[in-house]
């Protein structure tokens, strides 16, 4: 090594990470080189255990994000007379194994006006619909006390900046609709407005959340081709983004089902093939929008869809795993894992890469009931940094 290299002055330290320009993440290395090296460590908990400076780095907006579990919860303790529970959003920190509350969202719409329980529906919880797209969490549909749409514009949470923002006005605000995401855009289809309308029940809208579109002055909802019939306005539906298409099935449970596929490139609808429809025996999700997985709500079995043979094949899980997954109501799929919400208020993770698939529970905060879960980049903590 040359003398010039040894004697060259060190690169200027970044004050944003450590709070001290003279403090190096690794002595003798410029911080930007250190950050590149540390970003290759696959387990952030290892970095967190080394020192406070590295722990601060993990939550810095400049450092590559690790994935975290986000959940929409309702208060499970407020049950007298079917009182409406409070709604809250939280993030599970895999480093500390703790749930952290998200910052308060904008006051419009007020979360306490979004209905989850109503005296007229004794054994039925009203849907609150959230989706994730382009690394963001979006609250998109729900009902108010008058059983009308509670949300006129989506609430969007950006984990990197740890801030909420209000999206543009939805063309036709609705509830009990189909919501989903594909290729960085969110979609809302069918559903019911303040009163049933065949126009709303067949309509479809899209909001592109990719960075190029969000900085455009024309950032707005786009009206798409109408659905072919009105059969998708009976209840809340998950529209599953899969290979530049949205897959949706009109009812849950054992009722006779009808499936529809929306091609986001061609802006056209088609019927879902019967061999694909038969796998909808519970919630369905697509891993990175490429591989379909379903969880049987009655049997707790996990299935994977083979596009070439057009068959659903069972995924072998550890002994007793099916019992843990019975009553599945919602699922999300990211990085080789399924995160499942069950009817008895549990969050279960399935590692489908392992053979047999490993399954474990995520401990949830006391007194809270999960409605839906999503996997997004970890929430940055500017104050901590």
């Amino acid at each position: 090594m040359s003398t010039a290299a040894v004697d060259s002055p060190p690169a200027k330290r970044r004050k944003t990470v450590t709070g001290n320009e003279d403090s190096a993440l690794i002595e003798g290395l410029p911080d930007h080189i250190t950050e590149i090296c540390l970003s290759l460590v696959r387990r952030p908990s290892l970095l967190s255990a080394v020192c406070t400076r590295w722990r601060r780095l993990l939550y810095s907006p400049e450092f590559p994000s690790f994935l975290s579990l986000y959940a929409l919860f309702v208060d499970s303790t407020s049950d007298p007379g079917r009182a409406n529970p409070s709604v809250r959003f939280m993030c599970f920190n895999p480093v500390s194994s703790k749930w952290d509350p998200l910052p308060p969202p904008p006051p419009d719409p007020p979360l306490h006006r979004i209905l989850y329980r109503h005296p007229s529906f004794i054994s039925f919880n009203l849907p609150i619909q959230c989706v994730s797209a382009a690394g963001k969490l979006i609250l998109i549909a729900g009902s108010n006390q008058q059983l009308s749409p509670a949300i006129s514009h989506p609430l969007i949470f950006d984990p990197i900046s740890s801030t909420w923002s209000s999206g543009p006005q939805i063309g036709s605000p609705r509830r009990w609709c189909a919501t989903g995401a594909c290729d960085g855009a969110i979609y809302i289809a069918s559903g019911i407005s303040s009163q049933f309308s065949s126009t709303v029940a067949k309509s479809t809208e899209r909001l592109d959340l990719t960075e190029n579109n969000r900085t455009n002055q024309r950032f707005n909802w786009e009206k798409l081709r109408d659905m072919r019939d009105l059969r998708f306005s009976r209840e809340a539906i998950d529209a599953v983004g899969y290979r530049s298409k949205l897959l949706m099935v009109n009812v849950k449970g054992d009722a006779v089902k009808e499936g529809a596929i929306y091609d986001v490139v061609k802006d056209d609808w088609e019927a879902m093939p019967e061999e694909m429809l038969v796998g909808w025996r519970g919630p369905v999700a697509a891993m990175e929008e490429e591989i379909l997985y379903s969880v049987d709500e009655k049997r707790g079995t996990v299935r994977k869809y083979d596009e070439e043979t057009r068959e659903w094949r069972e995924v072998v899980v550890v002994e007793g795993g099916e019992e843990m997954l019975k009553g599945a109501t919602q699922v999300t799929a990211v990085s080789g894992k399924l995160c499942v919400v069950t009817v008895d208020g549990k969050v279960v993770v399935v590692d489908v890469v392992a053979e047999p698939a490993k399954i474990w529970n995520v401990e949830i905060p006391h007194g809270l009931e999960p409605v839906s879960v999503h996997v997004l980049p970890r929430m940055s903590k500017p104050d901590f940094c």
Side-chain angles (χ1 to χ4, degrees), residues 247-275:
L247 316 179
M248 56 192 79
V249 173
N250 64 338
V251 292
K252 301 175 182 178
D254 293 330
V256 177
K257 298 177 175 65
E258 179 179 343
I261 298 177
Y262 174 73
D263 190 315
V264 303
V265 177
K266 298 179 181 178
D267 185 25
D268 200 9
W269 291 90
E270 60 186 83
M272 181 179 291
E274 185 62 32
E275 54 267 29

Side-chain angles (χ1 to χ4, degrees), residues 6-312:
V6 174
D7 295 338
S8 60
K12 183 177 176 67
R13 306 301 178 190
R14 264 196 266 179
K15 193 175 181 179
T16 55
V17 173
T18 64
N20 185 347
E21 289 185 359
D22 296 327
S23 178
L25 292 168
I26 295 180
E27 196 61 40
L29 278 182
D31 279 357
H32 70 282
I33 299 297
T34 300
E35 290 179 17
I36 294 174
C37 297
L38 296 183
S39 67
L40 300 177
V41 179
R42 299 186 63 182
R43 293 180 59 186
S45 58
L46 296 178
L47 301 181
S48 176
V50 174
C51 62
T52 302
R53 287 175 293 174
W54 286 18
R55 195 176 308 123
R56 287 173 177 162
L57 174 66
L58 277 177
Y59 299 101
S60 166
E62 293 86 6
F63 192 72
S65 300
F66 53 86
L67 295 177
S68 296
L69 186 67
Y70 291 74
L72 165 62
F73 287 108
V74 295
D75 188 350
S76 62
T77 59
S78 57
D79 199 7
R82 298 289 291 175
N84 189 50
S86 58
V87 175
R88 65 187 74 188
F89 293 91
M90 302 190 78
C91 170
F92 183 76
N93 187 330
V95 175
S96 63
S97 297
K98 295 181 179 179
W99 287 93
D100 297 322
L102 269 60
D108 184 24
L111 291 187
H112 70 271
R113 294 186 183 177
I114 299 176
L115 217 60
Y116 186 66
R117 298 192 181 109
H118 191 278
S120 299
F121 300 88
I122 298 177
S123 60
F124 178 72
N125 292 325
L126 300 178
I128 303 173
Q129 294 175 263
C130 280
V131 297
S132 56
K136 296 172 178 61
L137 180 67
I138 305 100
L139 176 62
I140 195 171
S143 303
N144 61 19
Q145 292 285 351
Q146 292 73 42
L147 297 181
S148 294
I151 300 171
S152 60
H153 50 267
L155 293 180
I156 304 171
F157 180 73
D158 184 350
I160 303 302
S161 62
S162 291
T163 58
W164 288 90
S165 61
S166 296
Q169 170 87 29
I170 301 172
S172 298
R174 61 194 80 189
R175 59 194 175 93
W176 294 5
C177 49
T179 57
C182 188
D183 295 340
I186 58 175
Y187 293 79
I188 185 168
S190 192
I192 302 174
S193 55
S194 298
Q195 296 180 339
F196 178 80
S197 163
S198 60
T199 301
V200 173
K202 294 177 69 175
S203 67
T204 307
E205 298 182 53
R206 170 174 60 197
L207 181 64
D208 188 351
L209 291 178
T210 56
E211 197 60 37
N212 289 340
N213 193 61
R214 282 178 60 84
T215 56
N216 192 320
Q217 291 183 351
R218 298 177 61 186
F219 176 54
N220 216 328
W221 288 89
E222 175 187 2
K223 194 176 186 320
L224 305 174
R225 180 167 295 190
D226 285 350
M227 303 186 73
R228 295 179 177 179
D229 56 53
L230 310 174
R231 300 176 186 176
F232 288 79
S233 58
R234 300 177 185 177
E235 58 181 298
I237 299 169
D238 291 326
V240 182
Y242 173 67
R243 301 188 178 186
S244 295
K245 295 182 179 181
L246 282 173
L247 316 179
M248 56 192 79
V249 173
N250 64 338
V251 292
K252 301 175 182 178
D254 293 330
V256 177
K257 298 177 175 65
E258 179 179 343
I261 298 177
Y262 174 73
D263 190 315
V264 303
V265 177
K266 298 179 181 178
D267 185 25
D268 200 9
W269 291 90
E270 60 186 83
M272 181 179 291
E274 185 62 32
E275 54 267 29
M276 180 181 281
L277 179 62
V278 73
W280 249 260
R281 301 175 183 177
V284 175
M287 191 81 67
E288 274 76 48
E289 299 187 1
E290 283 293 327
I291 305 174
L292 283 178
Y293 287 90
S294 72
V295 182
D296 192 310
E297 61 187 55
K298 282 195 170 183
R299 297 176 54 198
T301 52
V302 178
R303 292 183 177 86
K304 176 182 177 180
Y305 186 67
D306 189 318
E307 182 70 31
E308 292 186 4
T309 62
R310 294 194 172 188
E311 293 178 342
W312 289 91

